[in-house]
């Protein structure tokens, strides 16, 4: 393909092939992905393989070690089960990788000038890390903690119950991490995972509008005047996304 | 050196609701008006066009239509002896930016004040005696009566195409409306919007309680409408993307849909977006403004001379501009002197969430910003404050501006925040729960005020506005009382479970939780220049060619949302400028 051939379709398919090829061995080595495979009913089969398999996404923000954490943590926070799709198969890790590269994650709409003082919780976050640094510093600190405590193993290499326990401790802030509050990291991370799970699929997560189907959200229809008075029937239409695709 | 522009008759700072109203009125009067708006220009097409606008990540997470705190924010502390810290991430309140201001992404609940709200202190004193008001509570009467404002409140409703049902028409009580409201000269321009399940349930529960429910007056058009300016509105389609979003449909009243289409065609009106006003310039006497200084889109300093300066920058920023420009005397809570920053108040807002089984189709994704049902049985003179033990009334209402999963899904108490159980709860409850809001008045106090921060600066080098605010016992008691009433009513509807978030004794103001953007006071209107910044026409006592229009003028906040009164006051001030000030420029009230 010459540089003068910018057909988006051609580029897209070439990129997919390259990504698929380069990522296959790495994805297979990720423990979080194995866990997702096992837990997701039907996930390992036809619906989960193929060119748009979310596991074939190549992160451009996160390092490989961080990526392994993300796969595992996403799978613990929103596991695949009978209720609906899990965060991993929904593409939340890809969402996170893309979202971290937006001006929003770089702190564009936050006031970021010092001095940075201690203040009671009612005053919110008063530190100087941007969202993407909270996530990145937090992941590194979690892994450092795990390696120190569990004979060199990273978070992703621990078993599921231990991972859940660590996340629970981080949620309450009981977990002591070097350089960052585990609670701050956890709350921001969970928030981002939920954003990715529920936002429009164009951002990389909520693959096939699976999260919307799970809760019965019609997506971006944005016109309900004909249904406002209906009381005896569930809203009947499936979701539609921003690109106009129906779920 | 600043570029100096040719002098104009009036310069307006901010192009939200109040700025647009003043621009329309003063260009009608033939004045040459320049409006400076810090944010971008915006209009229904293309900025609110479907489908791009209905994007929850951009609208509610990236907050594309709201103010960025990157350049400008406030600092906050609970008490005057503490060090304030910046409001770094948006939570408690969400000011707007860009043409249309918060008037673009408001919900549309459009209330008039009650007549007794306008004579607040006298009314409380008459009913319960002077001693009923705590010493530190600095509540006042508005220096204008409901009857004087009525034509202006009416005009704002006409411009907005407000959908509602009159309760009292020319003194006669009407079925279906609010029997306790002030008398109106006309019916609402449009009939009420249809009811969601939640508001239908509200009617049921409210009747059970012996209350008098009525449709919330909503500036979300219930039918096709052409306003007095010739602007067309289309019926709301209940899209569910109202609060935080621009209306895709020309249905929600906004400066963009209801006023700007006319202004944009006028030769004597000039709109300069991306123009950040830094200060009002005063002459050497400090009694006269000569214009304003702003930064243009390239960040270059420009001076705009003008005969009249209209501050229409939203409550907080009007006060900030007055403080950084040296207009009037800053308030000092120690000595209880000075007027700029005095009587800051907020709104006392709480929520009650009701969860039902799967047979109840609450469909929270359906939404009409301001529409729903409420009642005034615990507001104004209907509430026996003597018995209740606090000052100020409140309402319970059912409102459903529209909810999607990114904005958050309510789950019953005890649900974990993640994992399979959370997922199950989210799937079970999303379509089968709704909420009532409990909104109360907020009094003003000596210890709650605005001033300049000694440490933190904005992106332009100015000191940030500092907010000293905390909930006082009166508001905490009120919150508990109203939430209790809402819970009682909610229980008559037999939900599976119910959540209420009344403020606990001693609870502090939490800036991380969205409560409302109903910030009030700080440059109040009054009859006494020693205790108010503005006279009854919203004219600065100190610099008479400056008017500050907005909720900054409220001496305290009443039980309702502020914008109906803000719009009414804007028309009232505009009439005073047109009919009195232009004929004889100078103080409209002798101090
Ligand atoms: C999400 C949300 C929902 C709301 N819902 C309701 C509701 O249902 N009912 C209700 O009554 N109220 C509601 N409000 C409040 C309502 O939006 C405001 O009361 C109203 O918009 C105030 O009008 P204003 O003209 O004073 O300010 P705005 O409409 O905010 O306009 C002020 C303008 O001034 C500009 N500005 C500020 N500083 C400068 C400067 N230095 N230089 C240049 N320009 C400047 C701003 O960018 C802005 O565009 C809501 C607010 C929000 C945020
Ligand atoms: S709910 Fe109605 S008024 Fe609000 S944005 Fe949607 S169409 Fe406009």
């Amino acid at each position: 393909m010459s540089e003068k051939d910018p057909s988006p379709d051609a580029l897209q398919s070439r990129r997919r092939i390259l990504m698929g090829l380069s990522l296959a061995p790495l994805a297979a080595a990720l423990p979080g992905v194995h866990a997702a495979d096992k837990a997701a009913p039907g996930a390992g089969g036809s619906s989960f393989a193929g060119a748009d398999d979310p596991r074939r996404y190549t992160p451009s923000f996160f390092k490989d070690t961080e990526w392994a954490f993300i796969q595992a943590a996403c799978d613990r926070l929103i596991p695949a089960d009978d209720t609906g799709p899990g965060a991993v198969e929904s593409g939340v890790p890809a969402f996170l990788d893309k979202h971290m590269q937006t001006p929003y994650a770089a702190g564009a709409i936050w006031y970021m000038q010092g001095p940075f003082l201690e203040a009671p919780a009612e005053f919110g976050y008063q530190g100087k890390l941007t969202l993407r640094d909270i996530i990145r510093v937090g992941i590194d600190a979690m892994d450092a903690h795990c390696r120190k405590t569990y004979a060199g193993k990273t978070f992703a290499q621990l078993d599921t119950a231990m991972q859940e326990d660590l996340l629970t401790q981080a949620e309450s802030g009981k977990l002591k991490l070097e350089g960052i509050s585990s609670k701050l990291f956890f709350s921001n991370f969970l928030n981002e995972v939920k954003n990715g799970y529920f936002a429009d699929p164009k951002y990389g997560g909520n693959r096939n509008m699976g999260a919307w189907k799970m809760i019965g959200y019609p997506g971006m229809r944005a016109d309900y005047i004909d249904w406002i008075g209906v009381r005896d029937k569930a809203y009947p239409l499936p979701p539609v996304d921003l690109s106009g695709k129906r779920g | 050196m600043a570029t100096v522009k040719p002098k104009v008759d009036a310069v307006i700072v901010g192009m939200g609701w109040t700025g647009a109203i003043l621009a329309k009125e003063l260009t009608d009067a033939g004045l040459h008006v320049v409006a400076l708006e810090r944010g971008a220009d915006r209009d229904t097409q293309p900025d609110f066009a479907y489908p791009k606008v209905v994007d929850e990540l951009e609208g509610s997470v990236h907050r594309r239509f709201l103010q960025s705190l990157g350049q400008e924010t406030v600092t906050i502390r609970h008490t005057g002896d503490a060090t304030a810290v910046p409001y770094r991430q948006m939570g408690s309140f969400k000011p707007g930016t860009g043409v249309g201001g918060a008037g673009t992404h408001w919900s549309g609940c459009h209330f008039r004040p009650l007549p007794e709200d306008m004579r607040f202190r006298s009314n409380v004193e008459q009913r319960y005696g002077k001693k009923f008001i705590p010493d530190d509570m600095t509540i006042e009467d508005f220096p204008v009566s409901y009857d004087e404002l009525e034509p202006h409140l009416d005009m704002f409703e006409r411009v907005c195409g407000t959908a509602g049902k009159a309760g009292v028409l020319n003194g006669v009580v009407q079925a279906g409306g609010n029997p306790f409201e002030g008398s109106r000269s006309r019916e609402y321009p449009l009939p009420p919007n249809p009811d969601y399940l939640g508001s239908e349930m509200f009617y049921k529960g409210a009747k059970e309680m012996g209350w008098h429910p009525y449709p919330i007056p909503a500036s979300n058009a219930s039918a096709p409408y052409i306003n007095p300016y010739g602007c067309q509105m289309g019926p709301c389609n209940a899209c569910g993307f109202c609060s935080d979003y621009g209306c895709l449909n020309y249905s929600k009243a906004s400066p963009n849909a209801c006023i700007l289409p006319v202004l944009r065609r006028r030769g004597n009106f000039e709109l300069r977006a991306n123009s950040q006003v830094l200060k009002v310039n005063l002459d050497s006497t400090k009694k006269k403004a000569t214009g304003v200084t702003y930064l243009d889109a390239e960040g270059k300093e420009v001076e705009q001379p003008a005969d009249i300066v209209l501050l229409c920058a939203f409550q907080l920023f009007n006060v900030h501009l007055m403080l950084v420009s040296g207009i009037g005397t800053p308030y000092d809570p120690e000595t209880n002197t000075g007027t700029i920053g005095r009587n800051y108040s907020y709104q006392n807002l709480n929520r009650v969430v009701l969860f039902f089984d799967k047979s109840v189709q609450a469909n929270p994704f359906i939404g009409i910003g301001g529409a729903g049902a409420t009642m005034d049985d615990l507001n104004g003179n209907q509430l026996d404050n003597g018995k209740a033990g606090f000052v100020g009334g409140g309402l319970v209402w059912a409102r459903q501006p529209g909810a999607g999963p990114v904005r958050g899904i309510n789950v019953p108490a005890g649900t974990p925040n993640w994992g399979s159980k959370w997922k199950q709860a989210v799937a079970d409850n999303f379509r089968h729960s709704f909420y009532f809001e409990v909104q109360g008045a907020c009094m003003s106090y000596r210890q709650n005020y605005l001033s300049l921060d000694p440490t933190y600066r904005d992106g332009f080098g100015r000191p940030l506005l500092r907010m000293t605010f905390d909930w006082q016992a009166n508001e905490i008691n009120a919150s508990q009382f109203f939430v209790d009433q809402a819970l009682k009513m909610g229980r008559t509807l037999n939900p599976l479970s119910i959540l209420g978030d009344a403020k606990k004794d001693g609870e502090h103001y939490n800036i991380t939780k969205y409560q409302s953007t109903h910030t009030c006071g700080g440059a109040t209107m009054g009859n006494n220049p020693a205790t108010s910044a503005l006279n009854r026409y919203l004219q600065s006592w100190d610099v008479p060619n400056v008017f500050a229009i907005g909720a900054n003028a409220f001496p305290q906040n009443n039980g309702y949302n502020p914008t109906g009164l803000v719009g009414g006051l804007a028309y009232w001030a505009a009439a005073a400028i047109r009919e009195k000030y232009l004929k004889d420029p100078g103080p409209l009230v002798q101090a």
Side-chain angles (χ1 to χ4, degrees):
Chain A
M1 203 191 305
S2 82
E3 283 190 36
K4 281 184 191 141
D5 176 17
S7 142
D9 283 346
L11 279 174
Q12 194 63 23
S13 59
R14 194 171 87 111
R15 202 174 291 135
R16 281 209 193 110
I17 293 163
L18 287 176
M19 278 176 358
L21 288 176
S22 66
L23 206 81
L26 175 64
L30 296 176
V33 173
H34 285 299
D37 271 351
K38 277 189 227 112
S46 53
S47 74
F48 206 40
D52 62 346
D53 182 337
R55 292 172 302 180
R56 300 196 176 183
Y57 176 85
T58 309
S60 51
F61 177 78
F62 291 112
K63 298 177 283 197
D64 289 352
T65 47
E66 292 163 341
W67 197 236
F69 173 94
I70 284 171
Q71 303 279 342
C74 280
D75 202 35
R76 295 295 81 74
L77 295 175
I78 309 185
D81 56 25
D82 292 343
T83 313
V88 175
E89 66 181 295
S90 295
V92 171
F95 166 87
L96 294 172
D97 190 63
K98 290 178 184 168
H99 204 216
M100 289 307 115
Q101 300 178 61
T102 59
Y104 173 75
I109 65 169
W110 295 1
Y111 180 79
M112 296 305 291
Q113 292 185 45
F116 299 93
L117 307 177
E118 296 270 343
E122 293 96 13
F123 293 94
Y125 175 56
Q126 290 292 332
K128 80 178 190 357
L129 297 176
T130 61
L131 173 63
R132 68 182 182 207
D133 290 332
I134 291 172
I135 302 292
R136 180 165 252 170
V137 170
I139 293 176
D140 292 350
M142 279 287 265
D143 264 344
H145 169 84
C146 293
R147 277 195 302 271
K148 214 165 87 190
T149 322
Y150 305 107
K153 284 193 180 166
T154 62
F155 179 87
Q157 290 164 337
L158 299 173
D159 68 34
T160 320
M162 278 168 98
Q163 290 173 348
E164 272 172 8
D165 183 53
L166 280 163
L167 292 171
T168 307
Q169 287 186 49
E171 182 174 29
S172 69
K174 270 197 216 117
L175 187 69
K176 294 279 165 276
L177 298 179
E178 191 58 40
I180 188 166
S181 136
S182 62
K183 192 172 181 171
L184 173 75
F185 163 62
F186 181 87
S187 60
N188 280 276
F189 188 75
L190 177 63
N191 214 8
E192 282 297 298
V193 168
K194 288 184 182 174
N195 282 341
Y197 189 64
F198 285 127
D200 192 87
K202 84 170 188 188
Y203 294 106
N206 194 9
R207 189 164 162 265
N208 297 329
M209 296 170 248
W212 291 350
K213 286 184 225 164
M214 175 182 87
I215 58 170
Y217 179 55
M220 301 303 138
R221 293 191 173 273
D223 183 359
Y224 303 107
I225 202 72
D226 58 340
W227 203 262
I228 195 165
V230 179
R231 301 282 176 263
D232 56 346
K233 284 195 286 276
Y235 185 79
L237 300 179
V240 60
D241 72 10
L242 281 173
S243 73
K245 217 172 111 193
R246 275 146 213 270
Chain B
M1 265 315 278
T3 311
V4 181
K5 295 271 187 185
K7 185 170 171 185
V8 294
D9 298 319
V11 65
I12 296 183
V13 185
M15 200 21 73
W17 266 132
T18 58
I21 290 170
L22 268 295
K24 171 70 174 60
E25 289 288 308
L26 296 192
T27 49
D28 279 352
L31 265 52
H32 181 191
V33 174
V34 162
L36 303 169
E37 164 56 48
R38 67 179 170 187
D41 197 0
R42 287 193 308 223
D43 211 344
T44 308
Q45 291 291 344
D47 303 285
F48 316 142
Y50 180 83
K52 199 173 179 331
V53 71
V54 295
D55 180 336
E56 281 196 290
L57 196 74
E58 280 204 351
S60 294
V61 177
H62 298 173
R63 304 192 185 291
R64 65 194 289 213
F65 297 126
L66 310 184
Q67 186 205 348
S68 158
L69 302 180
Q71 297 259 291
E72 266 183 292
T73 187
V74 299
T75 64
I76 307 183
R77 57 182 180 174
H78 287 143
T79 54
D81 52 8
T83 302
V85 292
Y87 183 57
R88 294 187 181 276
Q89 297 169 18
M90 224 179 246
S92 168
F93 50 89
K94 309 189 271 202
T97 193
V99 168
T104 297
H105 55 74
W106 72 319
S107 305
C109 295
H110 188 144
F111 289 97
R112 291 180 175 195
L114 293 168
E116 59 263 35
D117 287 340
M118 301 308 290
R119 38 188 305 276
F120 198 81
R121 179 177 267 274
S122 320
N123 189 49
V124 175
E125 286 184 356
Q126 266 164 25
R127 283 164 60 103
Y128 312 107
K130 281 191 188 325
K131 288 222 181 75
F132 191 69
I133 302 173
D135 282 345
D136 58 353
M137 197 185 272
T138 50
I139 54 177
E140 301 280 352
D141 290 354
F142 278 81
V144 49
S145 71
Y146 174 84
D147 289 341
E148 285 173 298
L149 276 184
E150 204 284 334
H152 306 288
L153 298 166
D154 175 76
M155 178 63 182
F156 189 40
E157 287 162 0
R158 294 285 135 182
V159 168
C160 289
T162 310
K165 176 77 196 88
V168 184
L169 263 185
N170 298 312
V172 182
V173 173
Q174 310 287 308
N178 174 16
F180 309 118
E181 72 178 349
S183 182
R184 335 174 124 261
S185 52
R186 286 194 276 188
E187 181 51 275
Y188 282 97
L190 289 174
N193 280 285
D195 283 319
Y196 335 88
L197 176 94
S199 43
E200 230 169 69
M201 301 282 255
F202 182 91
Y203 279 105
K204 204 166 150 246
K207 289 200 174 120
E208 194 86 12
M209 298 290 284
W211 293 340
H212 299 75
Y214 66 94
I216 301 175
S219 283
N220 313 85
S222 58
Y225 180 70
I226 299 177
N227 81 2
Y229 301 159
C231 298
Q232 291 193 27
M233 301 177 76
C236 167
N237 66 8
C239 84
F241 285 87
C242 220
S243 318
D244 285 3
Y245 299 81
C247 178
L248 47 82
N249 230 12
Y250 298 92
S251 307
K252 177 168 67 180
S254 64
N256 318 67
C258 302
I259 305 180
L260 278 149
V262 180
L263 280 175
R264 289 184 197 276
R265 292 199 299 263
R266 291 208 159 152
N268 56 343
F269 174 72
E270 224 183 299
L271 171 61
R272 295 185 204 142
N274 303 304
S275 300
Q276 170 79 42
V277 175
L278 297 179
K279 64 170 182 183
V280 179
N281 301 318
L282 303 182
D283 74 3
S284 57
T285 68
K286 306 277 178 212
K287 297 269 161 224
K288 187 170 177 239
T290 57
V292 301
T293 297
Y294 69 95
L295 296 178
D296 69 10
E298 283 187 281
K300 296 207 176 92
E301 220 170 88
V302 181
E303 197 186 314
Q304 178 60 64
D307 286 330
I308 308 176
V309 175
L310 299 161
L311 300 180
C312 296
F314 186 74
Q315 175 268 338
L316 289 170
F317 308 107
N318 279 352
V319 177
H320 188 227
L321 281 165
M322 291 176 90
L323 286 169
V324 295
S325 308
I327 297 174
T329 315
Y331 178 62
D332 179 350
E334 296 292 323
T335 56
N336 202 19
T337 57
T339 57
I340 315 298
R342 187 187 169 100
N343 279 33
Y344 174 73
S345 67
Y346 189 32
Q347 186 109 56
N348 198 355
L349 198 96
N350 300 272
R351 233 178 215 214
V352 168
V353 190
L354 288 81
F355 301 92
F356 292 90
D357 67 32
K358 294 198 171 164
S359 68
V360 175
Q361 310 296 339
N363 295 333
F365 47 82
I366 298 179
I368 300 176
T374 188
M375 56 85 206
D376 266 42
D377 295 82
L378 303 173
N379 199 18
N381 285 345
Q382 286 68 252
L383 178 69
D384 185 343
N385 292 93
K387 221 165 109 193
F390 57 82
V391 182
L395 334 156
V396 183
W397 71 40
R399 199 166 69 85
Q400 190 165 304
V406 174
R407 283 169 273 181
I409 299 177
N410 289 312
V411 287
T415 308
N417 281 322
W418 50 281
S420 284
K421 284 202 180 113
W422 166 78
K423 252 174 96 179
Q424 186 67 53
V426 151
D428 287 347
N429 289 290
F430 177 63
R431 289 193 304 170
H432 312 292
S433 62
F434 57 80
Y435 61 85
F436 295 145
E437 267 165 338
V438 180
Q439 184 174 280
C442 180
M443 299 303 107
S444 46
Y445 297 88
R446 194 163 162 174
Q447 59 271 31
N448 286 344
Y449 66 102
L450 302 172
S451 53
L452 291 177
D453 192 274
T455 310
Y456 290 96
R457 313 227 140 216
D458 66 17
F460 318 106
R462 303 176 302 175
L464 291 185
L465 186 69
R466 177 176 63 184
M467 184 185 285
T468 306
F469 179 80
D470 206 356
W471 298 116
Q472 309 295 316
N474 186 75
E475 279 57 47
I476 291 181
N477 293 343
S479 153
Q480 293 172 353
F481 172 87
F482 291 117
V483 170
D484 189 49
Q485 295 284 324
L487 287 172
K488 272 201 190 108
M489 185 195 75
R491 288 197 192 99
T492 69
L493 301 168
N494 293 319
L496 287 181
S497 68
I498 189 164
L499 275 181
D501 68 345
K503 297 185 175 70
K504 295 178 195 68
D505 290 340
E507 183 170 322
H508 293 293
Y509 172 44
N510 184 331
I511 74 169
T512 70
K513 270 202 321 195
Y514 185 67
Q515 300 167 54
S516 84
T517 310
H518 310 161
T519 56
C520 297
T524 64
M525 61 195 300
N527 285 325
N528 180 355
T531 53
S532 59
L534 313 171
N535 66 23
R536 68 194 305 256
Y537 302 111
L538 292 93
Q539 178 182 37
S540 161
W541 288 111
D542 299 279
V543 185
N545 65 337
V546 171
F547 292 76
I549 325 285
N552 53 274
F554 295 13
Q556 63 281 323
N557 197 8
N558 63 39
Y560 298 123
N561 315 43
T563 310
L565 178 53
V566 166
L569 288 173
Y571 279 105
W572 159 257
I577 296 171
R578 285 177 61 164
E579 290 156 22
K580 301 186 207 288
Y581 182 87
L582 292 180
K583 286 181 195 137
D584 182 16
L588 295 173
V589 179
Q590 286 312 317

